[in-house]
Amino acid sequence: MLLFYFTSAHANDGAFYAKGNQLIPILEKTISLQKEILTIKKIDNEWIDVTVYYELFNPGKAKTILVGFEAESPSGDVDGTPVNGRHPYMQDFTVNLNNLILNYDVAIINDSSYLKTGQFNTLNKEEIEIASEDVNAVQFYYAYHFNATFKNGLNTIVHTYRYRISSSVEMVYDFSYILTAANRWANKQINDFTLILDLGDYETFYVDKTFFKSQKDWLINGIAKVLDIKSNPERLLNNDALKFHIQKGDLHFNAKNFHPNGELNVFAFQYFNFESETDFAFPIYFQEQHSATTEFELKALQNLPYARRGCVFNDPKMQAYFEQQEWYLANPSYIPNKDQLTEEEKKWLELFEENKEEEEEEY
């Protein structure tokens, strides 16, 4: 019987690169956060692109305030040494206030005292070197900060950045975004909050129930299945969560007078049914470790790219098998076409074809 293994090794069980965060006002008590549209997009399973649109209201005269953005140091199987005094895995950091691009500085700090004092106690070169001796566990974090002049009335900010996506032996990706920092504005909430979560088509992932109650809080802009999952720390599920099987589209969350009391946590396991005990599990992506113990399971693996697109199979046994999979969404109008698959999926099919040719040569 054939057995395939494709592995992605992580020496220290995982690599944490960064997490997303809000813009935080320092020593500010009058400017309120009226509206926020947060768009999070996964790029090539390597990057998270963040775009945030803010509407802030200044009830008084024009004023200049200090605004900060915190970024944790990388840890795990990753080199966390700063690059040119900045976070090594964060790129394209921009802030546009009222159509004016703002300059910013980056402070490397070891505490959050600046939140109360407005002063950045920046580490010197020697202190940074000492804190970076273990490149897998750097002992500081970054504060991107800038002065922003808010005119009287409504002000708009468009904020962007990109950071490397974290992963581990169990998870293909794992990222979070700090929502509670928005409570630091004068109104202690976001009057109108929208989150757009775009992780791509043919995706399966979890979202912890940390800032929402049920799947009714989400709008699916496309085709998907949603399951309620109970917490199970033994299976790395520390919170109740929603499990999304996205065939096509993205997710939208909207709330009025939003006072977040939890953060956004999104993660995808290496296998579709990681939280359950099974003899055979389909891999989420085609380069990850998997095993098959029967010829039928091998055939199912070979058909996985088509099944994810909703293919209705002529083989009754194969069709019945995929209908038992919680992620399967039948699409009778889909016609299998290898040319329309991704390069990764084509390589996946070639592996099976090459192995079949080798087997025939042996006989």
Side-chain angles (χ1 to χ4, degrees):
M1 200 60 61
L2 300 179
L3 184 66
F4 292 116
Y5 291 101
F6 306 97
T7 62
S8 178
H10 300 282
N12 292 332
D13 292 332
F16 168 74
Y17 291 103
K19 67 171 63 174
N21 204 345
Q22 300 274 354
L23 295 180
I24 304 170
I26 313 301
L27 304 175
E28 172 51 34
K29 298 181 179 180
T30 61
I31 296 175
S32 60
L33 180 50
Q34 302 291 302
K35 184 174 184 177
E36 177 180 343
I37 301 175
L38 167 63
T39 302
I40 296 177
K41 184 178 179 65
K42 180 168 65 67
I43 307 295
D44 298 330
N45 293 324
E46 293 184 7
W47 298 94
I48 294 295
D49 274 5
V50 177
T51 301
V52 197
Y53 170 81
Y54 297 96
E55 290 184 1
L56 301 112
F57 185 76
N58 176 16
K61 296 180 180 180
K63 62 187 301 187
T64 300
I65 68 171
L66 181 64
V67 179
F69 173 95
E70 295 178 5
E72 295 184 33
S73 286
S75 61
D77 186 20
V78 58
D79 186 347
T81 307
V83 176
N84 297 324
R86 301 185 180 187
H87 193 290
Y89 302 104
M90 185 171 289
Q91 300 177 359
D92 302 333
F93 187 95
T94 67
V95 179
N96 186 312
L97 171 61
N98 296 329
N99 297 317
L100 178 65
I101 296 176
L102 302 184
N103 295 322
Y104 62 88
D105 293 314
V106 181
I108 296 179
I109 56 182
N110 60 6
D111 61 58
S112 296
S113 60
Y114 72 92
L115 294 175
K116 296 180 179 180
T117 66
Q119 301 296 319
F120 290 91
N121 298 319
T122 306
L123 300 182
N124 59 38
K125 183 178 180 180
E126 182 179 357
E127 290 171 328
I128 293 173
E129 290 177 351
I130 293 174
S132 304
E133 287 180 352
D134 182 355
V135 296
N136 299 136
V138 176
Q139 300 299 311
F140 53 76
Y141 60 98
Y142 301 81
Y144 289 64
H145 58 98
F146 53 90
N147 288 313
T149 300
F150 291 86
K151 64 184 180 182
N152 172 257
L154 187 66
N155 295 262
T156 62
I157 291 180
V158 178
H159 175 39
T160 69
Y161 57 96
R162 162 182 283 201
Y163 63 91
R164 280 286 299 274
I165 200 167
S166 301
S167 61
S168 68
V169 170
E170 297 88 2
M171 296 181 184
V172 231
Y173 56 82
D174 176 13
F175 66 89
S176 58
Y177 187 93
I178 299 175
L179 297 171
T180 56
N183 297 329
R184 293 186 58 84
W185 294 96
N187 52 337
K188 309 298 182 185
Q189 66 175 29
I190 310 168
N191 294 356
D192 183 357
F193 175 71
T194 297
L195 166 64
I196 301 171
L197 194 57
D198 181 2
L199 304 190
D201 298 337
Y202 317 116
E203 289 283 332
T204 289
F205 56 87
Y206 301 72
V207 180
D208 279 343
K209 287 185 178 180
T210 48
F211 63 94
F212 65 94
K213 294 182 179 179
S214 73
Q215 66 182 70
K216 293 180 180 179
D217 297 320
W218 293 85
L219 170 67
I220 298 172
N221 181 31
I223 303 171
K225 274 186 180 180
V226 188
L227 301 174
D228 270 294
I229 306 296
K230 294 297 183 182
S231 63
N232 184 351
E234 292 183 359
R235 304 298 294 176
L236 302 182
L237 295 166
N238 296 318
N239 300 284
D240 290 351
L242 290 183
K243 186 177 185 181
F244 292 94
H245 295 296
I246 304 290
Q247 189 176 93
K248 186 171 290 294
D250 53 30
L251 302 175
H252 292 226
F253 171 87
N254 179 259
K256 306 295 184 183
N257 301 318
F258 183 53
H259 183 81
N261 54 9
E263 317 301 359
L264 170 67
N265 299 314
V266 181
F267 50 95
F269 289 117
Q270 300 281 6
Y271 300 96
F272 283 114
N273 48 350
F274 183 89
E275 76 275 7
S276 63
E277 298 289 346
T278 61
D279 294 330
F280 171 69
F282 286 99
I284 295 289
Y285 293 113
F286 304 98
Q287 77 277 19
E288 303 300 337
Q289 179 177 316
H290 69 83
S291 63
T293 57
T294 68
E295 291 184 4
F296 180 82
E297 289 176 347
L298 286 169
K299 187 66 175 178
L301 281 173
Q302 189 172 4
N303 281 313
L304 180 56
Y306 303 116
R308 275 300 261 169
R309 288 162 170 77
C311 177
V312 177
F313 296 91
N314 293 327
D315 181 349
K317 185 179 178 181
M318 185 66 65
Q319 180 62 25
Y321 185 75
F322 279 116
E323 287 178 348
Q324 294 173 5
Q325 308 306 315
E326 65 178 27
W327 48 265
Y328 178 73
L329 282 162
N331 179 6
S333 64
Y334 174 70
I335 300 175
N337 186 337
K338 183 178 178 180
D339 292 337
Q340 294 177 350
L341 299 181
T342 67
E343 290 304 312
E344 183 186 44
E345 289 169 328
K346 291 176 183 178
K347 291 178 181 178
W348 168 270
L349 296 184
E350 289 171 1
L351 288 171
F352 287 93
E353 293 167 358
E354 290 173 0
N355 193 81
K356 183 177 180 181
E357 291 175 357
E358 293 175 0
E359 186 180 38
E360 291 174 349
E361 289 177 0
E362 291 179 359
Y363 290 94

